[in-house]
């Protein structure tokens, strides 16, 4: 059809040539006539309105009084700046009623917003503020009135409420739906006029869940798909019918309120506007659009200043003939140039950071904070010189180029350099409930405990200009408080109670309060991971060696996982690649023999001996940067039923995701083929420590499971509905199992049929399918599995939860997940375990990075002190669920790997030491 139209066009052109010529001549005459008319009209209009010599122009063009008054008010405001009123607390206390009901918390360990610790503390709350913070003996307390609430915290740790300085709660509601997605106005690259408050949804179910994690205040920002996306809003994370009831009163002290602008540079904007005419498709274009915006704002500011200068005298006011210059489009940026907004810039790469510094210098505005900025450790001198803060993640990296290969130690480096540092979750990119988790991981990788606490409490308060009321437990400050079940930097730390403005918004059950009295709920901060490499006899390739100083071993003399851990001062002796002895005195003989034979002795302090971990993932070994297709194996359509794909043919061993997983103690990874539809294919289990597929045991199990996705993500042309997906799976296990031998094996339970789904009803259909076919059905994801826990246990259907908490309700099919304490007593996986369901923990995320945290997450679910269960969740249970052979790999840790601060000392695979004291960030292969 296109070819025919192309051939006919010359004939149409010749046929219409004469008509076109006549038409163009007429059109030209009309155009000239219109131009002459416009010029004439403009000239006559000017003459008509020009005052005659006897008229007084000052009286003829006197500005309307209302417009003049408005302009003068704006001129006065232009001379003011937002300020931090350090007298606010005192003025609040001075007006406090003596009749208000008090909450008196005593015997508290106060871990304040800057990390300072005060034991035996008494905290009084009244009328929404802290009224007294003191160190007083209980018998010295003022008598409480009958209306007062007195709570003995029994030395539990309390902190000020956490502050998330980069959130999209309320403007990106969860579960995410098209109708409620209002985070970024993408109609243009520049929308400084947009305001988060105009789209904020106080009914967002995430808000009370986030608060239950101890987050009491959030800076809700507009998004990062365009370059200047608008103004953010500071809210308290409490239930309300209106956003107005959630706002922090930023004008309590009078004067201009604090305001916050969001700008962004980097890959997001390139992707968003690359196919939009005129939109930026490179960083070059991004810089142009920034400069254009601020050039327009600068011009408007100069016009305003000239107007105000003229209006500053009576004679000048008499000469003003135009109203005060204003622009809804550019006024926000004018206010930036005047210093009225705190500018928050999204960007990762050094070129983005430095380009933004150039723009700030050119137009004369200040930057408060660089958000994300995961490569900030490369340009710390420039950042520090400008007094700019960094707001970043501790462990979110890898899915695109600008956040690829990020240093695990970046938070510690930035903090040690003297740059103000803040941690964020960027909810819902990472669920905001777990903000303290960011601080925990950063502390593990060297961020000082005081800085880890301040990064989520006092430093964001200061950067928001609200440290006169937030970020500390001080008299006169907002009564935002969190009571923790253990030290907040410990694995699994969870609030027992959260107060916002003196009101309890989340409180755990009495049983959880009682449990937290146990000594296993530590009240001290854990240690950070040691970064120096010790002098050690450990060498790669050793098959004869001994390790002394092991305090706990989960490996038996047969080299396999033991039923119960052995504790004490233990030694392991390896000869010719086999375990000879593990224990205390019983190993004295083998140790002496090893010494006589000059076998290397490796000495540890607090060593732990564990089997290597086995984790199922979405794309390890197949994808490096999710948003860069050239780094991916590629995805099938999900419809290759006759010839199922196997990931064993695509696994690559040279990526940093695989390497970092291995260096954290994971020795086996199971990854299915990638798909854009329903059917993945056959997963393979591989050794992330292998150099290539040619290494011994590189593909440890070529057929680990048969994988299907059932749900919205599984919809494809052949399976466009969930109904068709379940129907197709049913057919493959019954009438169509002749299509390939793998389906016959699946129907007989010889290979696991892994169903990636979260919805309770889909899971129930899978239970029914197992009963009908006898297939070994495994649920992976399982966010709503707790709702039918008893049925799963009865049918012997195991669940591999991912993420570990089983509750990140980004999408509709996971909306009924359990948020865990303090809102409910248990996380979803804990309900399943108590019901008798076999549970494993794995990783099913696009970014790939959280896999190395698996042992901590297992410990979180298992609970403090329950190391055997924690280890099962990431090793034996996963092997049993997929019916994989027991691993004979083991990993020796220095320190307790179930808590923060430990590190891998050596990894033993295929009969020899493969790695000694690996650095998490070392280059791979």
């Amino acid at each position: 059809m296109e070819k025919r139209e192309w051939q006919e066009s010359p004939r149409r052109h010749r046929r219409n040539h004469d008509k076109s010529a006549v038409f163009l001549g007429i059109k030209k005459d009309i155009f000239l006539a219109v131009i002459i008319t416009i010029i004439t009209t403009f000239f006559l209009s000017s003459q008509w309105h020009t005052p005659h010599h006897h008229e007084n122009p000052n009286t003829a063009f006197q500005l309307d009084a209302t417009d003049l008054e408005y302009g003068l008010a704006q001129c006065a405001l232009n001379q003011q700046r937002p300020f931090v009123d350090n007298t606010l607390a005192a003025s609040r206390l001075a007006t406090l009623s003596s009749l208000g009901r008090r909450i008196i918390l005593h015997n508290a360990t106060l871990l304040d917003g800057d990390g300072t610790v005060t034991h035996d503390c008494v905290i009084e709350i009244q009328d929404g503020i802290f009224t007294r913070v003191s160190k007083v003996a209980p018998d010295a307390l003022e008598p409480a009135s009958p209306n007062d609430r007195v709570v003995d915290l029994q030395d539990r740790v309390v902190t000020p409420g956490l502050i998330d300085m980069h959130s999209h709660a309320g403007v990106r509601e969860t579960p995410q739906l098209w109708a409620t997605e209002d985070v970024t106005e993408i109609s243009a690259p520049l929308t400084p006029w947009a305001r988060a408050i105009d789209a904020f949804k106080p009914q967002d179910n995430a808000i009370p869940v986030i608060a239950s994690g101890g987050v009491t205040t959030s800076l809700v920002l507009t998004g990062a798909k365009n370059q200047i996306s608008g103004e953010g809003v500071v809210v308290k994370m409490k239930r309300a019918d209106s956003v107005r009831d959630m706002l922090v009163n930023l004008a309590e002290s009078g004067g201009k309120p604090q305001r916050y602008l969001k700008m962004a540079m980097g890959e997001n904007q390139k992707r968003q506007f690359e196919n939009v005419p005129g939109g930026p498709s490179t960083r070059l274009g991004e810089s142009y659009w920034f400069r254009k915006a601020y050039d327009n704002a600068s011009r408007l500011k100069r016009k305003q200043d000239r107007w105000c200068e003229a209006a500053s005298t009576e004679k000048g006011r008499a000469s003003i003939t135009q109203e005060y210059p204003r622009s809804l489009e550019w006024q926000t940026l004018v206010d930036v140039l005047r210093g009225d907004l705190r500018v928050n810039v999204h960007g990762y790469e050094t070129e983005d950071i430095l380009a933004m510094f150039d723009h700030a210098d050119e137009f004369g505005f200040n930057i408060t904070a660089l958000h994300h900025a995961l490569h900030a450790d490369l340009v710390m001198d420039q950042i520090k010189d400008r007094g700019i803060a960094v707001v970043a993640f501790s462990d979110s990296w890898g899915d695109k180029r600008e956040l690829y290969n990020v240093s695990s130690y970046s938070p510690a480096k930035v903090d040690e350099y003297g740059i103000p540092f803040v941690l964020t979750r960027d909810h819902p990119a990472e669920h905001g409930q777990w903000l303290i988790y960011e601080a925990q991981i950063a502390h593990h990788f060297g961020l000082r405990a005081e800085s880890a606490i301040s990064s989520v409490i006092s430093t964001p308060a200061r950067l928001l200009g609200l440290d006169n009321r937030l970020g500390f437990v001080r008299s006169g400050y907002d009564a935002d408080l969190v009571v923790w079940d253990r030290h907040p930097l410990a694995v699994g730390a969870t609030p027992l109670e959260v107060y916002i403005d003196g009101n309890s918004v989340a409180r755990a059950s009495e049983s959880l309060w009682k449990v937290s009295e146990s000594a296993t709920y530590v009240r001290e901060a854990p240690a950070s991971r040691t970064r120096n490499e010790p002098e050690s006899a450990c060498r790669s390739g050793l098959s004869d060696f001994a390790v002394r100083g092991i305090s706990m071993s989960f490996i038996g003399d047969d080299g396999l996982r033991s039923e119960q851990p052995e504790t004490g001062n233990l030694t392991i002796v390896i000869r010719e690649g086999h375990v000879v002895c593990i224990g205390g005195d019983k190993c004295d003989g083998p140790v002496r023999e090893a010494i006589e034979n000059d076998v290397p002795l490796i000495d540890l302090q607090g060593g732990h001996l564990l089997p290597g971990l086995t984790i199922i993932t979405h794309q390890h070994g197949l994808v490096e940067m999710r948003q860069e297709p050239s780094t991916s194996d590629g995805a099938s359509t999900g419809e290759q039923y006759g010839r199922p794909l196997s990931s064993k043919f695509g696994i690559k061993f040279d990526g940093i995701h695989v390497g970092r997983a291995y260096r954290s103690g994971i020795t086996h990874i199971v990854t299915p083929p990638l798909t854009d539809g329903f059917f993945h294919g056959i997963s393979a289990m591989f050794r992330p420590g292998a150099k290539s597929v040619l290494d011994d045991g590189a593909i440890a199990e070529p057929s680990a499971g048969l994988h299907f996705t059932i749900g919205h993500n599984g919809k494809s042309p052949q399976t466009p509905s969930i109904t068709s997906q379940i129907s197709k799976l049913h057919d493959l296990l019954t009438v169509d199992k002749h299509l390939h031998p793998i389906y016959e094996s699946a129907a007989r339970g010889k290979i696991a049929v892994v169903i990636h789904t979260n919805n309770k009803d889909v899971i129930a259909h899978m239970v029914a399918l197992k009963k009908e076919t006898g297939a070994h059905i495994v649920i992976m994801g399982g966010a709503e599995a707790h709702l039918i826990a008893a049925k799963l246990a009865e049918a012997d259907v195991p669940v591999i939860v991912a993420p570990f908490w089983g509750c990140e309700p980004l999408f509709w099919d996971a909306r009924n997940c359990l948020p865990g304490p303090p809102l409910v007593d248990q996380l979803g996986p804990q309900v399943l375990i108590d019901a008798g369901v076999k549970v494993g923990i794995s990783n099913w995320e696009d970014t790939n990075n959280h896999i190395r945290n698996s042992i901590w997450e297992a410990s979180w679910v298992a609970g403090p002190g329950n190391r055997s269960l924690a280890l099962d969740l990431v090793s034996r249970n996963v092997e049993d669920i997929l019916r994989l052979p027991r691993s004979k790999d083991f990993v020796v840790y220095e320190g307790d790997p179930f808590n923060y601060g430990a590190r891998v000392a050596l990894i033993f695979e295929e009969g020899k030491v493969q790695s000694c004291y690996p650095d998490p960030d070392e280059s791979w292969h």
Side-chain angles (χ1 to χ4, degrees), residues 773-815:
T773 65
H776 177 45
I777 301 289
V778 175
I779 302 300
M780 184 161 176
E784 295 186 350
H786 63 279
L787 296 173
I788 56 169
K791 297 293 185 182
L792 289 166
E794 178 186 341
D796 192 25
V797 174
V799 178
I800 300 173
V801 294
F804 81 96
W805 44 70
C807 190
E808 200 166 40
L810 292 181
F811 304 109
W812 187 253
D813 61 358
R815 66 191 184 280

Side-chain angles (χ1 to χ4, degrees), residues 616 640-641 643-647 670-673 678-684 702-710 728-729 732-733 736-737 740-748 750-756 766 775-780 844 881-882 884:
I616 307 175
Q640 290 76 14
Y641 304 112
R643 301 182 66 182
L645 300 177
S646 173
S647 60
V670 177
T671 303
F678 157 67
F679 182 41
H680 292 260
I682 305 168
S683 61
S703 299
L706 190 63
H707 294 251
F708 300 84
T709 288
I710 298 182
K728 183 63 178 178
L729 177 61
L732 291 173
L733 295 177
D736 288 341
K737 59 187 177 183
H740 192 277
I742 196 74
Y743 305 124
E744 182 69 39
S745 295
R748 290 188 288 112
K750 299 298 184 181
I751 185 172
V753 180
V754 183
I755 308 300
H756 301 269
M766 295 303 101
H776 177 45
I777 301 289
V778 175
I779 302 300
M780 184 161 176
W844 194 254
I881 288 171
L882 294 184
L884 300 171

Side-chain angles (χ1 to χ4, degrees), residues 28 232 858:
K28 180 178 181 181

